[in-house]
Amino acid sequence: WEDGECPHPSEVRRTLGPSMNDWIEPSLVTISILKLLQLPGVEPVKLSTFIRSIRDKARNCDIMEIFFRHNSQVKASRYIRKASKDAERILEECRIQQISIISLADAAYPRELGEISDAPPVLYVRGRCSDFNEKTITVVETSQASPRGISMARLIAKTIVQGGFTVVSGLALGIDTAAHQSALDENGRTIAVLAHGLDTVAPSSNRHLADQIVQRGGVLLSEHPPGFPPYPAEFVRRNRMQSGLSLGSIIVESGREGGAIHHARFAVSQKRKLYVGFPTRKEVNETFRREGAEYLIAEHHAIPLRNTGDLKKV
């Protein structure tokens, strides 16, 4: 896993312009969907299914009226005023913090993510919304990566960017941080998917990195409004978004259990390509964990990446 092990990757690079205000006004249909989400009894997955069922006409109709017509069990009259007020509070907070809101009914919604069965009805975005449908690859791992895993992540992200792809990860310490930073170092674009509201960054030590991602043309992305805290369960659920955004996922280093294994299962269920970093035992010391890769290769037919030559075939 050294840069010289294969011919240099494609010289395709992204030249990013200066930081700019990328906030967009939410569409009327997105505001309606946001109001629906505040109603008791409206489940996000069912709402997404409904939006997809009327997608061709969703932007030109009263989506709330059609929703209530098809979901008579939702008692809207009693709660609609409170739901509207709750939605307005979210909208105002997002305006203040320059967080864009896009919905599954909007053209700006990431195409790949919109295909998964449990796609979020709305997304909160800090940064540029216009480039979601570029080619993307997710790079993740379980926490507490080894030094060898960190160096692999940097090289993987570098190669991905030089090949014209966007790097997706989760802004966690270790592999995620290395992947985001390497993408920025190569003047590439990177997307960080967060498990909480975009008014905060967890871990807080990555606040500067988060700002750099946005300032250099990337995106912070969440399905949660400002003020939503970083609950542990949400870090598992956001894996479906990371894998769903991408053409494929690379698990750099992992134990037999953990977040990366959850991510891999989402990728498999979404029929996304799954790759695992798999250097030979001679290349790594005892701190590098291979058991996760061995499991994913055996049970889920993950594709091993032994060097950058293998990565070029992704």
Side-chain angles (χ1 to χ4, degrees), residues 199-271:
D199 56 320
T200 188
V201 171
S204 57
S205 57
N206 267 347
R207 166 61 71 181
H208 178 69
L209 176 58
D211 291 342
Q212 286 293 303
I213 289 171
V214 174
Q215 290 166 10
R216 298 178 62 182
V219 164
L220 305 183
L221 183 68
S222 177
E223 63 182 314
H224 300 301
F228 191 94
Y231 295 120
E234 292 302 321
F235 286 90
V236 174
R237 292 189 70 249
R238 66 92 180 263
N239 283 310
R240 85 191 195 286
M241 294 175 59
Q242 290 176 307
S243 58
L245 276 166
S246 300
L247 300 174
S249 294
I250 300 173
I251 310 299
V252 176
E253 178 181 7
S254 174
R256 177 59 180 78
E257 299 291 338
I261 302 299
H262 290 299
H263 180 106
R265 289 169 179 155
F266 280 122
V268 170
S269 69
Q270 294 165 356
K271 302 188 185 308

Side-chain angles (χ1 to χ4, degrees), residues 137 165 250 273 275 305 309-314:
I137 296 289
F165 287 78
I250 300 173
K273 292 183 177 179
Y275 304 87
L305 300 177
D310 287 342
L311 186 58
K312 283 273 288 178
K313 302 172 186 176
V314 171

